[in-house]
């Protein structure tokens, strides 16, 4: 039952990471704080932080103003709605990492020093973490100041809306400055694949349209998308479960895939590629069928950094 303050918000990632390291990875926090009322800005930032934790739960005491977006002003409602929509878009990505954690005992949300043991700058840091392959450094400051430590490598901004494609950054580096109210600072290394669902209002509405397969260029990449029936534990015996292995070949700039297993009723049947080049260009393919074997290329367009 956390309090509603910026100081308490800043502590939440560390609490969740500690739970994961102790063997309890499915943890979240009371979005907005349980006791007393947050400000609209604090509630927005809490929503944004919780998008990238294993459990996202909006919860508060009865005497507090409910943490529903429409009760906190038009701009705050818009920003909270954006966070919720991103959470739903990340379902294929998060669900696949949940399966990886079940099968391989590999933490899905993990501390920076676990992911980058040789990066002294991130030792003991809990204000940012790895959500699968996404480095998340949400704003936990009342002045909307961002603080991001990028370890060694080539880093793309994780563009939540798909509207911008800035040039990639070279780490190690430290990013600061003021963040927009709607901004959730997040980054991925070159050679990362992130599958995203369309915006849906509830999980039973999946697939809801074609799967967006995000590829961040600069290196080869691999991702295993796992889909099950979403209701039973038949996945434990491999029944009603489909694995789709996506491979990105950076030299030929081709995304290929192969599927194994029977697709459940909610499985995706179509997809499109959204590719981000290191120098900042972006390419979106046509929508194609998600067959048992297939590929999409940039069609002769060379979008290298």
């Amino acid at each position: 039952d956390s309090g509603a303050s910026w100081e308490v918000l800043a502590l939440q990632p560390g609490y969740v990471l500690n739970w994961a390291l102790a063997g309890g990875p499915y943890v979240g926090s009371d979005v907005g704080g349980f006791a007393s009322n947050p400000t609209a800005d604090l509630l927005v930032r809490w929503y944004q932080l919780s998008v990238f934790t294993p459990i996202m739960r909006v919860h508060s005491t009865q005497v507090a103003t409910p943490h529903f977006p429409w009760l906190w002003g038009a701009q705050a409602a818009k920003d909270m709605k954006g966070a919720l929509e991103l959470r739903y878009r990340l379902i294929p990505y998060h669900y696949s990492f949940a399966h990886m954690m079940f099968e391989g005992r590999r933490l899905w949300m993990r501390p920076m020093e676990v992911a980058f043991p040789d990066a002294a700058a991130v030792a003991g840091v809990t204000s940012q973490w790895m959500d699968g392959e996404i480095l998340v450094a949400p704003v936990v400051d009342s002045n909307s100041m961002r603080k991001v430590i990028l370890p060694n490598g080539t880093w793309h901004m994780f563009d939540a809306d798909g509207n911008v494609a800035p040039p990639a950054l070279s780490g190690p580096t430290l990013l600061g400055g003021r963040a927009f109210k709607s901004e959730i600072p997040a980054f991925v290394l070159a050679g990362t694949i992130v599958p995203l669902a369309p915006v849906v209002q509830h999980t039973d509405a999946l697939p809801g349209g074609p799967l967006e397969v995000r590829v961040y260029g600069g290196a080869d990449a691999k991702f295993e998308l796992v889909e099950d029936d979403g209701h039973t534990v038949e996945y434990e015996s491999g029944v009603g479960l489909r694995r789709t292995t996506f491979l990105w070949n950076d030299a030929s700039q081709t995304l290929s895939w192969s599927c194994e297993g029977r697709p459940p009723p909610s499985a995706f049947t179509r997809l499109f590629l959204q590719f981000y080049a290191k120098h900042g260009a972006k390419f979106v393919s046509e929508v194609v069928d998600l067959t048992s074997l297939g590929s999409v290329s940039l069609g002769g367009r060379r979008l290298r950094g």
Side-chain angles (χ1 to χ4, degrees), residues 36-264:
S36 70
N37 282 317
T39 64
D41 285 348
L42 175 59
L43 183 56
V44 167
R45 294 304 188 189
W46 215 310
Y47 263 79
Q48 293 171 344
L49 180 153
S50 298
V51 168
F52 296 96
T53 59
I55 293 177
M56 182 180 186
R57 184 182 73 157
V58 179
H59 180 59
S60 62
T61 182
Q62 283 186 317
V63 298
T65 301
H67 296 166
F68 303 143
W70 56 87
L71 297 178
W72 297 85
Q75 185 58 52
K78 180 180 178 181
D79 294 338
M80 283 185 267
K81 179 173 181 283
L84 286 169
E85 289 178 343
L86 177 58
R87 177 70 176 190
Y88 275 88
R89 295 204 68 201
L90 284 164
I91 286 173
Y93 175 80
H94 282 154
Y95 209 75
S96 297
F97 271 99
H99 271 282
M100 292 181 207
M101 188 163 63
F102 167 71
E103 295 170 352
R105 300 299 187 261
R106 177 179 183 267
L107 282 178
W108 142 18
M109 179 181 174
R110 60 198 192 281
M112 291 295 298
E113 61 187 307
V114 171
F116 301 94
D118 297 327
V122 300
V125 170
T126 59
S127 58
Q128 63 182 62
W129 63 92
M130 297 302 297
D131 174 19
E133 302 304 327
I134 302 174
L135 187 160
V136 188
V139 174
V140 293
D141 182 281
S142 61
N143 295 317
S144 288
M145 300 303 293
R146 69 171 75 85
K147 181 181 179 182
V148 187
I149 304 169
L150 295 180
N152 187 51
T154 300
W155 293 91
H156 292 264
M157 180 186 294
F158 175 70
D159 173 29
D161 298 323
N163 296 325
V164 297
L169 301 169
S170 294
T173 189
L174 176 66
L175 304 179
R178 191 176 299 276
F180 295 112
K181 295 293 186 182
S182 60
E183 181 182 348
I184 314 174
F187 300 83
V188 293
L189 280 168
T192 297
I193 296 174
V194 179
L196 295 172
V199 173
V200 293
Q201 298 304 306
H202 53 88
T203 55
D204 281 345
L206 290 169
L211 179 73
E212 178 182 335
V213 182
R214 290 264 185 99
V215 174
Y216 293 89
D220 294 344
K222 180 180 180 179
F223 188 89
E224 184 178 80
L225 175 73
V226 183
E227 300 165 284
D228 63 28
D229 63 21
H231 297 284
T232 72
V233 295
E234 287 189 339
Y235 64 86
E236 293 179 348
S237 57
V239 177
L241 183 146
R242 181 175 72 174
R243 302 178 189 274
T244 303
T245 302
F246 290 104
L247 298 174
W248 170 255
N249 186 307
D250 206 57
S252 65
Q253 299 194 306
T254 300
L255 176 73
S256 61
W257 63 87
S258 59
C259 300
E260 177 184 336
R262 188 183 71 198

